[in-house]
Amino acid sequence: MVLSDTTLCGVPKFLKEAETYQIRAIVGLRFGHKTYIAKNTKEIKALFKIYSSGNTDELEKNFQYIEQPPIYFLPGQEEYFKALCDYFGKTPENLSTVEDFVKLKSSIIGDFQYDLHSNQILYRPEEDIISKLVENEREYTERLKYEVEIIRKFGFEDYFYTIKRIVDIARENDIEIGPGRGSVVGSLLAYRMGITKINPIKYDLLFERFLNEGRKDYPDIDLDVEDVHRQKLLKLLKREFKSVYNISAFATMPEKILKEFDNLAQYLSDIPVQRTTHAAGVIISMDEIEAPVVPQTETLEWDMRDLEGLGFVKFDILGLKTLTILKELRSSSEFKDKNLYEYIDSLILTDEGRKTFKYISAGFTDNIFQLDSGIAKQVVRDLKPNSFNELVLSISINRPGPLKSGVTKEIRQFKNRKINRFNIPLLSETYGFPIYQEQVMKIAMELAGLNSVQADELRKAIAKKDMSKIRETYGELKRKLTELYGEEGSELSKLILALGEYAFNKSHAVAYAHITYFMSYFKTNNPKRFYDVYLKYDTTILQTAIYNLQAMGYCVLPPKLRFSGAERVEKAEDYHLPLYVVPGISLERAYLLGQRIFKNFEDFIENSNLQLSNIEALIKIGVFDPMFESRRKAIQKLRSVRSGMNPEVVRIGGKLFGKVVQKEEVKVEDDWERTQMEHDVLSISITPPTKVENHLAPYSLAYSLGLPFGVHVSVRAGFGTDGKSVFKAHIPDGDYTLIYPDTYEVGKVKIEYILDEPPTKSEISRSSSSKGFERIILPNGKIIENARPIKNSFKSVFLKDVS
């Protein structure tokens, strides 16, 4: 069978399938009406080079060919072929059938054996760094020796050296690398080599979760890098290594379209229809890689599965926006010259550090790495983390599964009662619940006497709900736990099975919890700076930024420009939106405008180098409000200056030459019109459309916490406001009471919060108003007036009949 394709993306799969079905496979590349044949390994590698270069003229000189249109489908597959033609909207012009090839005679002779195994060469320095690290280790000598022994047994040293070289190149060029990602954070060697930033011994992390003697392939050491410099890092790597290539990925038909093909859908679902690029993976080699490259790109033709099947090792370098933001926040703070990852223990003990946990525990976690979701807010409100270990736990169960299973509420109850579910030391950090994969493995190894390979296999099987291969191992675990702890041990073995699919990688959680805490620290203690930086890299969070700042007591104002003699006194609670949130104004332009002092409005028009539409946008969001009583007048002024027509000169000229020129009156717009202007530009408004007195919770607080608080609002022209925040409201104009997010009652109504369990002291928030518009009803019927709950699971109701 001859593969006749216009690309080489299917070669590995074709050869593998041919081997499975014991078919003689011949690889060809179709160009025009000819299929050029590779007769052996040497020729197929030459074919790769010609294809990659795009120099197709070389095909005729170097390869024999078959002049026969290809077969697009085998007997019984015509229906699938027609379905694909329908999907692509075209049908090949020349088609052959199997019968056509029965008559075909070819003079091409070859062995048609192809060795495509990887020729990738990884980096190895002249100095034996690993041996030197072992020699110099003073704290954890045995642990490091053990890890190195395993790594050397599998020959993974060069893999570690290559990763280290990537990290070193990044650091040498001031490119931020994350603290670690995944199970590699459990490796002391990775920490000592500078690949990770987290000491695994400090957090009792397990090396065997990363690598044990049962491993058959390379371990995964993925790297997070600040996203704005990922491409820069790849360019630097290309200077260091001979080959650095992206990896192809292939998309299949969208599920929605597949459904239209009914009984053909399952077959068609595996057929690639579009090439994309792997989001993070690259292939790196010290020598030229013998694999085809997509012409005029730096992307290999083959996908990850094919490359790994041939023995290639990929390196995942993932761009992470949070690292970009965190790097800038740190560089402009008192921690500029500190290693935050080593300083975290001291930071947590400060007043600012404790305040950070208070905000996290309330669910004030919008735009916080790993906790920016409704589920995360529920988790942290249940767990109320007040230590780093509890933050790690919160991140580990921040998923729909654990929340649905009720484990978060159970942990909350055990924490409040200050007891553990199971009194086993290995589970003490998680209130007696087996939450971490490492805990499951340690229980298997230290209590049940299983080796690391068996423990890892047990972990994987439980996670996949596939007990068929490890039934005997699990039985041994259950027997040993029952022998040690009686009925409690038996119950624990059942819980391990029940929670196993939700068990999380502690090493990963520990590393990411550091980033989570630092982001929350900066948001809590310097929110203005936090959002200035965040909005630089992501303006899609503008609405969230405004509401969160308002919830923290800030008055959000339009961007600020500087004019001669017009400096205004700023209040500490004022926050001016940065200029770069305005569409059409780049970071660079915003910076230049912020540095200048303009004489007046006309000077700004002439020398800002902004388009008329950009200046008009600035007028609409209120930037020039201190200079004009009306935004309409400012727009009129802008247009007259740009057109060169001075309205006053025109009026005087009219008098001189006897013409009557009507003075154009510009009405001062209403507040709701300003609200609309701002929304037209920013898709969010900061000017309330009308006035209202709110005796309930601020709208911004309900939004930020995602809780069903009552809010007194007024609606005008499709916009609602509580007097401070503005939101879209598609209801008639008037005064309402809102139960966030979208339940309204006409008029100013009282709100009752009905709790299904007693709140802790920290879960009661006192109202700023003492007029009795909101109250908490406890499970025992007692009432807490002028208060609202900061917790999960309560019911909010209108009290229309209460005066």
Side-chain angles (χ1 to χ4, degrees):
M1 181 176 287
V2 179
L3 175 65
S4 175
D5 199 354
T6 55
T7 76
L8 295 169
C9 65
V11 171
K13 289 182 176 66
F14 172 70
L15 294 177
K16 188 175 181 181
E17 289 297 305
E19 184 180 0
T20 300
Y21 293 101
Q22 297 183 332
I23 296 170
R24 189 182 191 190
I26 301 173
V27 175
L29 175 65
R30 189 169 80 255
F31 187 73
H33 60 280
K34 299 175 181 177
T35 298
Y36 297 91
I37 302 299
K39 295 180 287 187
N40 50 45
T41 299
K42 183 180 177 182
E43 285 200 4
I44 199 171
K45 290 181 178 178
L47 189 67
F48 291 166
K49 283 188 177 181
I50 292 173
Y51 172 81
S52 302
S53 70
N55 188 11
T56 51
D57 293 340
E58 294 295 313
L59 290 171
E60 194 88 23
K61 301 175 187 175
N62 293 281
F63 296 92
Q64 292 179 276
Y65 57 84
I66 297 172
E67 275 192 281
Q68 176 74 34
I71 301 171
Y72 283 88
F73 57 89
L74 295 174
Q77 295 181 329
E78 187 171 1
E79 199 175 1
Y80 303 125
F81 171 69
K82 288 180 177 178
L84 282 170
C85 291
D86 287 344
Y87 175 78
F88 287 111
K90 59 182 179 181
T91 303
E93 293 181 3
N94 298 314
L95 298 174
S96 290
T97 64
V98 173
E99 288 75 20
D100 294 327
F101 275 85
V102 171
K103 306 167 191 174
L104 179 69
K105 292 183 180 178
S106 173
S107 59
I108 301 174
I109 300 171
D111 64 11
F112 304 113
Q113 298 295 314
Y114 310 105
D115 181 4
L116 301 184
H117 284 93
S118 168
N119 70 318
Q120 183 181 19
I121 299 174
L122 302 184
Y123 174 78
R124 179 179 282 261
E126 293 181 8
E127 184 182 13
D128 187 352
I129 296 171
I130 292 176
S131 293
K132 204 163 189 176
L133 285 172
V134 173
E135 184 183 326
N136 294 334
E137 181 63 36
R138 294 292 177 266
E139 290 183 274
Y140 315 113
T141 308
E142 293 307 312
R143 167 71 174 257
L144 190 60
K145 282 182 179 178
Y146 167 71
E147 289 192 17
V148 170
E149 183 182 335
I150 298 290
I151 288 162
R152 281 183 168 155
K153 178 179 178 181
F154 289 104
F156 292 156
E157 303 103 303
D158 291 359
Y159 179 66
F160 273 75
Y161 282 135
T162 306
I163 294 284
K164 174 177 168 54
R165 188 68 195 118
I166 296 170
V167 172
D168 287 347
I169 290 170
R171 286 177 182 152
E172 288 161 10
N173 291 275
D174 193 30
I175 298 173
E176 188 76 7
I177 296 288
R181 181 187 180 96
S183 59
V184 67
V185 181
S187 168
L188 179 62
L189 177 62
Y191 175 61
R192 290 296 193 228
M193 292 179 79
I195 292 170
T196 59
K197 299 176 182 178
I198 308 300
N199 182 345
I201 312 300
K202 175 182 176 182
Y203 297 102
D204 195 24
L205 304 180
L206 189 65
F207 173 72
E208 288 83 356
R209 172 62 184 86
F210 168 62
L211 187 60
N212 57 67
E213 298 203 30
R215 185 97 193 194
K216 295 188 174 86
D217 52 6
Y218 279 86
D220 285 325
I221 303 180
D222 300 341
L223 297 175
D224 288 322
V225 58
E226 54 175 317
D227 63 339
V228 294
H229 289 316
R230 181 178 182 271
Q231 289 306 316
K232 177 183 175 182
L233 177 58
L234 292 179
K235 286 181 181 177
L236 291 166
L237 295 181
K238 283 166 188 173
R239 294 181 195 169
E240 178 79 12
F241 303 105
K242 184 94 173 177
S243 298
V244 178
Y245 289 110
N246 296 316
I247 299 166
S248 285
F250 296 94
T252 54
M253 284 188 196
E255 191 174 339
K256 185 178 178 181
I257 294 176
L258 280 171
K259 288 177 181 177
E260 298 174 9
F261 290 106
D262 299 325
N263 59 323
L264 306 180
Q266 187 173 356
Y267 179 88
L268 294 173
S269 66
D270 290 331
I271 297 177
V273 295
Q274 183 181 6
R275 185 196 302 277
T276 60
T277 303
H278 193 288
V282 291
I283 298 293
I284 293 173
S285 177
M286 297 298 292
D287 205 350
E288 189 62 46
I289 288 173
E290 294 176 341
V293 176
V294 181
Q296 298 179 330
T297 74
E298 295 177 333
T299 302
L300 294 172
E301 273 278 319
W302 302 333
D303 64 19
M304 196 57 252
R305 187 176 297 179
D306 288 340
L307 289 165
E308 285 182 337
L310 295 171
F312 286 92
V313 180
K314 87 171 181 343
F315 297 85
D316 280 320
I317 302 174
L318 301 96
L320 190 61
K321 177 180 65 183
T322 303
L323 283 181
T324 305
I325 296 167
L326 182 57
K327 178 185 177 182
E328 186 162 341
L329 287 169
R330 190 190 69 224
S331 67
S332 59
S333 74
E334 66 271 31
F335 310 115
K336 181 178 180 181
D337 299 318
K338 281 188 169 70
N339 182 335
L340 276 180
Y341 299 97
E342 293 179 0
Y343 185 65
I344 190 167
D345 292 341
S346 301
L347 191 63
I348 285 171
L349 296 176
T350 63
D351 289 343
E352 294 83 0
R354 285 188 284 269
K355 182 182 176 184
T356 300
F357 277 122
K358 182 181 176 183
Y359 274 68
I360 291 173
S361 296
F364 197 70
T365 55
D366 280 334
N367 313 120
I368 300 302
F369 185 64
Q370 296 288 289
L371 297 181
D372 187 8
S373 72
I375 289 176
K377 291 177 182 185
Q378 292 182 60
V379 169
V380 291
R381 275 198 291 266
D382 269 341
L383 262 62
K384 299 257 183 301
N386 55 21
S387 68
F388 185 76
N389 283 338
E390 288 184 350
L391 182 60
V392 174
L393 175 58
S394 300
I395 288 173
S396 299
I397 58 175
N398 173 25
R399 286 164 293 137
L403 195 67
K404 191 175 179 181
S405 73
V407 71
T408 54
K409 281 195 173 183
E410 285 191 77
I411 292 174
R412 167 191 168 88
Q413 290 164 1
F414 279 99
K415 178 183 176 180
N416 289 343
R417 290 159 58 194
K418 298 181 179 178
I419 59 173
N420 291 341
R421 173 72 176 82
F422 293 101
N423 291 311
I424 294 174
L426 286 173
L427 301 177
S428 60
E429 63 181 332
T430 52
Y431 297 96
F433 287 82
I435 298 300
Y436 303 132
Q437 296 168 355
E438 288 88 339
Q439 287 175 317
V440 174
M441 290 181 67
K442 283 185 176 182
I443 288 170
M445 291 189 294
E446 296 179 22
L447 299 183
L450 302 179
N451 61 41
S452 61
V453 177
Q454 292 172 312
D456 199 30
E457 287 173 351
L458 180 71
R459 171 192 67 80
K460 290 176 184 175
I462 291 174
K464 294 177 181 177
K465 294 185 176 180
D466 180 14
M467 298 296 293
S468 58
K469 295 179 183 177
I470 51 94
R471 203 169 298 280
E472 186 178 327
T473 305
Y474 174 73
E476 179 62 21
L477 174 72
K478 184 176 181 180
R479 185 192 67 77
K480 191 64 178 178
L481 288 178
T482 305
E483 181 183 301
L484 288 170
Y485 299 103
E487 185 61 30
E488 188 178 48
S490 177
E491 286 299 312
L492 174 57
S493 64
K494 291 176 185 176
L495 190 60
I496 286 174
L497 207 55
L499 293 181
E501 63 178 304
Y502 306 136
F504 200 71
N505 184 331
K506 183 186 176 185
S507 297
H508 182 71
V510 166
Y512 272 20
H514 282 77
I515 302 176
T516 300
Y517 184 79
F518 298 144
M519 289 292 283
S520 188
Y521 180 92
F522 286 118
K523 178 185 174 182
T524 301
N525 296 289
N526 195 346
K528 289 163 70 168
R529 178 62 182 156
F530 178 86
Y531 279 113
D532 271 351
V533 174
Y534 208 119
L535 288 165
K536 261 189 186 182
Y537 302 101
D538 186 0
T539 56
T540 65
I541 61 121
L542 179 59
Q543 174 177 285
T544 302
I546 289 173
Y547 290 148
N548 274 257
L549 286 160
Q550 289 173 336
M552 297 178 83
Y554 288 95
C555 179
V556 179
L557 300 169
K560 182 174 61 173
L561 292 167
R562 296 195 295 168
F563 290 92
S564 300
E567 292 296 323
R568 57 170 282 178
V569 177
E570 295 294 330
K571 299 176 183 177
E573 63 270 20
D574 287 349
Y575 175 79
H576 287 274
L577 292 172
L579 278 165
Y580 42 78
V581 303
V582 182
I585 298 183
S586 66
L587 277 173
E588 295 75 15
R589 178 58 53 195
Y591 175 77
L592 291 173
L593 292 174
Q595 295 297 107
R596 288 200 57 175
I597 298 177
F598 296 95
K599 296 176 184 176
N600 48 40
F601 184 59
E602 289 83 352
D603 182 34
F604 179 81
I605 294 172
E606 294 302 323
N607 297 299
S608 65
N609 293 320
L610 290 178
Q611 298 289 328
L612 179 70
S613 58
N614 297 140
I615 300 174
E616 189 167 314
L618 293 177
I619 294 171
K620 285 183 174 181
I621 65 173
V623 172
F624 300 101
D625 283 359
M627 304 174 72
F628 296 90
E629 63 173 328
S630 163
R631 295 180 187 178
R632 284 179 179 157
K633 284 185 177 179
I635 291 172
Q636 182 192 58
K637 179 77 170 177
L638 167 67
R639 291 173 180 169
S640 67
V641 171
R642 274 294 168 94
S643 66
M645 299 287 287
N646 187 320
E648 189 62 21
V649 172
V650 172
R651 188 180 66 80
I652 294 170
K655 282 185 177 181
L656 289 172
F657 296 104
K659 291 182 180 180
V660 178
V661 179
Q662 296 293 332
K663 186 177 181 180
E664 187 180 348
E665 293 293 331
V666 179
K667 180 186 172 186
V668 176
E669 66 275 352
D670 291 332
D671 285 344
W672 69 265
E673 292 177 289
R674 291 189 169 197
T675 307
Q676 184 66 61
M677 286 179 178
E678 292 162 4
H679 195 274
D680 290 343
V681 175
L682 299 174
S683 301
I684 179 72
S685 305
I686 56 176
T687 299
T690 185
K691 290 180 172 56
V692 62
E693 194 173 5
N694 177 27
H695 298 293
L696 296 171
Y699 179 89
S700 58
L701 185 66
Y703 175 97
S704 300
L705 299 181
L707 289 174
F709 290 151
V711 188
H712 286 147
V713 302
S714 186
V715 175
R716 181 79 191 275
F719 293 97
T721 181
D722 63 348
K724 189 171 185 178
S725 301
V726 183
F727 54 95
K728 290 295 288 182
H730 302 290
I731 54 175
D733 289 2
D735 291 334
Y736 297 86
T737 300
L738 163 71
I739 292 179
Y740 183 84
D742 53 15
T743 304
Y744 291 89
E745 185 67 40
V746 176
K748 286 189 177 177
V749 178
K750 296 184 178 183
I751 296 290
E752 198 169 73
Y753 303 111
I754 303 171
L755 274 57
D756 60 2
E757 65 175 3
T760 62
K761 187 178 178 180
S762 66
E763 291 175 331
I764 299 171
S765 176
R766 295 289 175 180
S767 309
S768 57
S769 169
S770 59
K771 296 189 177 182
F773 272 93
E774 58 185 345
R775 64 187 188 181
I776 295 172
I777 308 297
L778 299 176
N780 61 8
K782 288 186 177 181
I783 297 173
I784 305 175
E785 294 286 356
N786 298 311
R788 67 184 76 99
I790 307 290
K791 70 183 297 297
N792 301 324
S793 304
F794 64 86
K795 186 178 180 183
S796 306
V797 295
F798 297 113
L799 289 179
K800 289 185 274 189
D801 57 339
V802 178
S803 60

